[in-house]
Amino acid sequence: MTYDLQSLTELSTLENLVSTQGVAALLATLDEVLARTPPDALVLKEDGPAVGPRTLRVLRKAVEFDATFLQAHPEALFQSLYNRLRWHDAPDAATHFAPESQGPWSHPDAHLFALANHWRKQRDAAGAAPWVESLLPLRGALESADSLFWHDAQVLCAAYSPSGAKLATGSWSDDGNVRVWDAATGECLQVMAGHEGEVRGLAWSADGTRLASGSRDHDARIWDVETGALLKEFPGQEGQVTSVAFSPDGRLLATGNLGWRVHVFDVESGRPVKTLKGHEQSVLSLSFHPSGRWLASGGSDSTLRIWDTATWTQVERIASDGYVDTVEFSPDGEWIAWAVFEGIAVADTRTWTRLPGTRGEGRYSQVAWLGTSRLGLLSYNRVEVVDVREGTALWSRPYPSDGHQRGAAFSPNGKHFALTAADGGLLVSDLYASPPPVLLAEPHRMKQLWGQPEGGLAIAQRFDAWLAIDAQGCVRNCPPDLDETPMQPWCFSPDGTLAAYGIHLMMETPARRGVRLLDAKSLTPVRTLFARPLDPNDTKKRLSMKQPLAFSPDGQWVAAALEYGCVRIWRVSDGALLHTLRGAKGPVTLVTFTPDGAHVVCGYSEDARVWVYEVTSGRNVLTTRTLLEPEPAYAAATRAPRIAVGRASGELEVYDLTTGSLRLIQVSNDDVVAVGLSADGSLVAACGLDRRVRLFDVQTGALKYELPHPSLPFSVSVGEDLLVTQSNDQVTRLFDLATGAPREELPGSATPEDVTRRRFWEVLGEGPVSFHRQEDPTPLTHFQDGLEETVILREGLVVARGRSIKDFLYVLRIHAPTGGN
């Protein structure tokens, strides 16, 4: 079939191509049609927007962003394209980007969002399959020179190969923290495993065949770039290795460390050649002269030192105003540049005389020579190119600071740069290219999320503020309170009208703790709940404890722990204190109401006990031992007044809250670490340290069956038809409730209670997330990015914190098929 501009902007054509021939074929077809389409070509669709070559270029970039995901899930092509194009040039996208950004929404040919909406109408009319909509812009610009190479942890340093064809990166990854990439395509060519700490320094040999790395684990290594093999290792240095450098002839490797030393090794034999002493604090940077005659070292002792490589004596000590964490000789060897407090200093290498003034403006953490007349520089919030003689900026690209250490690399031809980031991304782009619009979400990463499953509100904690996201996907800033500190966690009334969080009034004397009730719709305070401390002088304990709290199922009461040894219950309507429930002496780690609201359950992890109280009378009806760390071995039946707890003695205790009767079941001789009750309270499941899950009949105490696990199961739920477990091997297992027969093993983590109780639930892992219906192991749909933490509100509204894009805020909506649950 012959494709053209008209056919390749039809969704049906694109979906057919990717499903029958694959993503690579779709990209190749787009390239081929673009190559033969005139620049001024224009097709006016019958019931859609006009399209041209620009449309195809943006489509290609969108497919490229999600190519790996689409290879596994070609059915998600519309979802990927819509979520990119819808936010590309729509007028309402502008509010999500920095005000100074010049975005494509101001382009006279702003039509990509209209094309996305045109496709959506076509799908809806045909009866759309399930998909996930992003209600906020995703990271990644569709019209820019930027590419992103993703890692699984913060990237600290990068280095181009001498030819510029490859890029090396060092990261915080637990393993495989040295990587080599194709600089043009972003393909990961090699992963070098072995360093036990983050990699802070990289250097290429002049012939590009070897790569040196230095890390926090006090060692340096040399790798074969072609095979990824470890060639040499230099362990046991005095401190973290911060910098590595090959001599121009490749015979020597210099390493600098936080132990104030520079070591020089013979590359071929691996033997030490010399240890250079002189720095009075940490060595932070190294650079060989192009001739190999000198080695420069910079340190936190505010000195730059020059060493003669023939005698290994110090030939010059240059005082610097500020630590020297970056230094580099010019390619012709005539100059040396290094960081000072107010910019970059330059000296000639004949006399080591520093030129007057500084280059650039402000503090820089990296300097690189781009030829002999320009410097490539990295500041905390921008990448710059500066003229050496004039000291003026020739080009500058700002970026949002994420508050973490960054690294930069510049290609040998001076045309490209790479910028590392804390979110695991390596930004690769063209020098002098116009930067894309800056997402306002970029510098404000999420720390944690709170929300009630199938509720109406979620709270996202930023590093600098709090956001409220409702079930319609509306994102609002919570009003700041300058005199109080919100404590963890937040909770929400069952009807969704109120939110509650613990506060600490630090400005008062003495400081007080309480519970703030907030109107969930207006985000305005309703009232604050206080209680007189049992020991008003003991503020130290109150400052150090977390503050668990909960609403009763009918929303009439709120219970919270403000200090050690007790839980208070207040009436929500007027804030009146109902009870002070005294328990063990230690901190309270669990506060929850039973599903019928008649009892409140308080847990004390230090004492390994739960205390159960009647809400109306405050009477203690049960005190029993149970495991509470790392998660409570506690469960409650949703349709019966029955609770269950697990003990370290291997016993399972089921308590009837109406009759006061207790059944003790001996599960095993090992700790019972998790329990689950069926909704009617007739069945109870127990997870043991012996890596088995056992199901019992509560009435008789009889064992129905036991399920061995290859890894420790730490959570269990009993549903209507399934028994679901979650294990340390990051596998979620579903079993037939009646027989115990295995139904499904899902790679990744799903909360068992969500699987059995919720309309929608998710499986989180290293890769894309899958969304499911209640008790259905078959994925309903997938989303392309890995997620670390999620809350699914009403109507399938998902609020999530990113994993593959670390701590990024996602607001998604699950669109179930017509007639779905």
Side-chain angles (χ1 to χ4, degrees):
M1 178 178 176
T2 302
Y3 297 96
D4 56 16
L5 177 60
Q6 166 71 30
S7 61
L8 280 183
T9 50
E10 292 292 340
L11 179 61
S12 58
T13 304
L14 298 170
E15 289 182 325
N16 181 66
L17 251 173
V18 79
S19 63
T20 59
Q21 300 183 46
V23 178
L26 174 56
L27 291 171
T29 302
L30 286 166
D31 287 337
E32 187 271 327
V33 172
L34 269 170
R36 57 179 169 81
T37 301
D40 57 351
L42 191 68
V43 172
L44 183 61
K45 290 186 172 291
E46 216 172 281
D47 55 352
V51 295
R54 174 172 172 257
T55 312
L56 294 186
R57 287 194 298 271
V58 174
L59 279 175
R60 192 200 186 286
K61 188 78 169 181
V63 173
E64 186 180 2
F65 270 130
D66 297 326
T68 302
F69 171 70
L70 291 171
Q71 286 172 1
H73 301 285
E75 76 283 355
L77 179 65
F78 163 76
Q79 173 182 300
S80 290
L81 293 179
Y82 180 86
N83 285 331
R84 302 270 180 201
L85 269 60
R86 180 265 178 268
W87 290 108
H88 175 61
D89 55 10
D92 62 336
T95 59
H96 297 281
F97 292 85
E100 63 274 12
S101 295
Q102 293 297 312
W105 45 84
S106 58
H107 194 285
D109 190 20
H111 68 278
L112 275 301
F113 78 99
L115 180 62
N117 286 325
H118 170 64
W119 288 345
R120 182 172 180 174
K121 290 177 182 177
Q122 288 180 328
R123 288 183 86 252
D124 289 345
W131 64 292
V132 180
E133 178 185 5
S134 177
L135 303 184
L136 293 179
L138 301 176
R139 183 174 180 179
L142 296 180
E143 288 186 288
S144 77
D146 291 0
S147 297
L148 288 164
F149 301 177
W150 287 109
H151 301 63
D152 57 1
Q154 179 179 355
V155 191
L156 293 168
C157 53
Y160 275 95
S161 65
S163 68
K166 297 175 180 177
L167 259 170
T169 56
S171 76
W172 273 87
S173 299
D174 292 334
D175 198 10
N177 42 20
V178 177
R179 301 189 182 200
V180 177
W181 308 76
D182 184 298
T185 67
E187 178 187 359
C188 185
L189 304 174
Q190 289 293 347
V191 178
M192 286 84 157
H195 280 299
E196 295 180 0
E198 69 270 16
V199 172
R200 296 190 169 274
L202 293 167
W204 290 82
S205 62
D207 60 6
T209 63
R210 289 164 295 178
L211 179 70
S213 58
S215 84
R216 184 171 61 89
D217 57 2
H218 295 209
D219 81 337
R221 299 177 179 224
I222 298 177
W223 311 86
D224 183 292
V225 174
E226 189 65 30
T227 66
L230 177 65
L231 300 177
K232 291 289 185 298
E233 185 177 4
F234 309 100
Q237 301 197 32
E238 294 83 356
Q240 297 181 29
V241 178
T242 59
S243 185
V244 289
F246 278 104
S247 61
D249 60 10
R251 295 172 58 191
L252 301 175
L253 177 73
T255 68
N257 65 54
L258 295 186
W260 309 8
R261 299 287 185 267
V262 177
H263 294 284
V264 183
F265 300 94
D266 182 274
V267 169
E268 189 64 33
S269 67
R271 297 193 183 102
V273 173
K274 192 70 177 178
T275 296
L276 307 179
K277 302 178 182 179
H279 280 287
E280 297 171 1
Q281 290 183 26
S282 303
V283 178
L284 303 176
S285 54
L286 296 169
S287 179
F288 273 100
H289 189 269
S291 68
R293 179 181 175 186
W294 295 301
L295 172 67
S297 62
S300 58
D301 57 357
S302 299
T303 67
L304 175 66
R305 298 170 190 256
I306 311 297
W307 311 85
D308 187 306
T309 58
T311 62
W312 296 115
T313 57
Q314 181 177 296
V315 297
E316 194 68 33
R317 178 187 182 278
I318 304 174
S320 178
D321 51 339
Y323 52 84
V324 182
D325 55 354
T326 179
V327 60
E328 187 166 324
F329 285 101
S330 62
D332 60 8
E334 296 292 317
W335 307 96
I336 186 171
W338 70 97
V340 293
F341 185 74
E342 294 182 347
I344 296 295
V346 178
D348 74 76
T349 57
R350 293 180 299 278
T351 64
W352 307 110
T353 301
R354 178 174 163 177
L355 296 181
T358 57
R359 278 70 193 149
E361 184 177 337
R363 181 70 189 171
Y364 296 98
S365 59
Q366 201 138 349
V367 59
W369 286 86
L370 309 178
T372 58
S373 62
R374 297 175 300 148
L375 294 172
L377 306 175
L378 173 66
S379 177
Y380 78 96
N381 65 353
R382 67 191 186 278
V383 180
E384 283 186 344
V385 177
V386 170
D387 180 90
V388 174
R389 298 223 172 249
E390 299 295 329
T392 54
L394 302 174
W395 173 83
S396 179
R397 168 154 176 185
Y399 62 84
S401 172
D402 58 15
H404 293 80
Q405 174 186 348
R406 291 216 190 208
F410 297 86
S411 63
N413 63 7
K415 294 183 178 180
H416 311 285
F417 74 92
L419 177 66
T420 73
D423 62 7
L426 178 76
L427 170 67
V428 180
S429 192
D430 295 346
L431 279 171
Y432 305 109
S434 298
V438 176
L439 265 177
L440 290 173
E442 288 291 343
H444 304 296
R445 301 292 174 182
M446 297 299 109
K447 293 176 66 176
Q448 199 164 354
L449 293 175
W450 291 277
Q452 179 180 319
E454 299 179 355
L457 188 70
I459 297 294
Q461 182 186 5
R462 282 171 151 180
F463 288 95
D464 61 342
W466 302 77
L467 297 177
I469 303 99
D470 63 28
Q472 288 70 50
C474 177
V475 181
R476 294 172 290 165
N477 285 306
C478 293
D481 291 307
L482 302 180
D483 62 339
E484 60 191 45
T485 303
M487 309 296 288
Q488 299 180 22
W490 289 62
C491 72
F492 306 89
S493 62
D495 63 3
T497 60
L498 294 176
Y501 60 90
I503 61 169
H504 181 200
L505 301 181
M506 302 179 66
M507 303 304 292
E508 294 190 5
T509 305
R512 288 197 297 166
R513 301 187 86 170
V515 176
R516 173 63 51 83
L517 299 181
L518 201 71
D519 182 276
K521 186 175 182 179
S522 64
L523 298 180
T524 56
V526 173
R527 63 179 49 88
T528 303
L529 310 175
F530 291 111
R532 187 183 301 276
L534 298 181
D535 182 359
N537 297 317
D538 191 0
T539 59
K540 185 176 181 181
K541 287 182 179 179
R542 295 201 301 278
L543 284 171
S544 63
M545 69 175 287
K546 287 190 177 180
Q547 197 165 320
L549 65 161
F551 279 98
S552 62
D554 60 8
Q556 293 187 40
W557 310 101
V558 65
L562 302 186
E563 60 190 297
Y564 280 20
C566 76
V567 170
R568 267 70 172 221
I569 301 179
W570 294 268
R571 188 165 49 226
V572 170
S573 61
D574 59 4
L577 179 65
L578 178 67
H579 296 301
T580 296
L581 307 173
R582 302 190 184 217
K585 294 182 179 180
V588 184
T589 55
L590 171 68
V591 175
T592 186
F593 285 87
T594 54
D596 61 4
H599 296 82
V600 65
V601 181
C602 311
Y604 299 81
S605 58
E606 286 186 5
D607 198 43
R609 288 181 184 272
V610 293
W611 297 54
V612 182
Y613 304 85
E614 283 183 347
V615 171
T616 54
S617 67
R619 183 173 64 92
N620 174 226
V621 298
L622 177 67
T623 300
T624 186
R625 288 199 172 277
T626 185
L627 292 176
L628 291 161
E629 295 290 346
E631 295 294 330
Y634 163 81
T638 57
R639 298 198 302 265
R642 210 167 261 178
I643 64 171
V645 297
R647 294 179 173 179
S649 58
E651 294 169 314
L652 176 65
E653 189 174 301
V654 183
Y655 186 78
D656 190 301
L657 293 166
T658 301
T659 65
S661 62
L662 182 149
R663 175 170 291 280
L664 201 62
I665 302 172
Q666 188 67 45
V667 176
S668 69
N669 295 321
D670 295 296
D671 297 2
V672 176
V673 297
V675 296
L677 272 168
S678 61
D680 62 5
S682 64
L683 298 172
V684 63
C687 301
L689 276 185
D690 59 356
R691 298 194 299 185
R692 291 175 180 270
V693 177
R694 296 170 174 88
L695 184 71
F696 298 90
D697 182 289
V698 170
Q699 193 66 31
T700 65
L703 174 67
K704 296 181 73 67
Y705 52 75
E706 62 180 51
L707 307 170
H709 281 58
S711 180
L712 176 67
F714 61 86
S715 184
V716 62
S717 181
V718 181
E720 296 297 326
D721 299 307
L722 294 176
L723 185 146
V724 183
T725 65
Q726 190 177 1
S727 305
N728 278 348
D729 57 2
Q730 301 301 303
V731 174
T732 302
R733 293 175 171 86
L734 285 69
F735 302 88
D736 183 274
L737 180 62
T739 66
R743 284 271 194 94
E744 197 78 37
E745 289 191 0
L746 303 175
S749 295
T751 303
E753 193 77 7
D754 288 349
V755 177
T756 60
R757 304 282 192 265
R758 307 301 176 197
R759 180 190 177 196
F760 296 117
W761 53 278
E762 75 288 343
V763 180
L764 304 180
E766 295 291 338
V769 59
S770 62
F771 293 103
H772 303 250
R773 289 193 187 95
Q774 183 177 353
E775 293 206 346
D776 187 351
T778 304
L780 176 68
T781 186
H782 297 79
F783 182 70
Q784 57 261 40
D785 292 344
L787 304 178
E788 183 70 24
E789 186 180 12
T790 59
V791 175
I792 303 182
L793 302 177
R794 291 195 299 263
E795 308 304 325
L797 195 286
V798 182
V799 183
R801 181 165 64 93
R803 181 186 183 101
S804 55
I805 303 179
K806 187 173 174 58
D807 297 335
F808 194 80
L809 174 66
Y810 293 86
V811 179
L812 312 171
R813 187 177 296 283
I814 302 170
H815 290 273
T818 304
N821 292 339

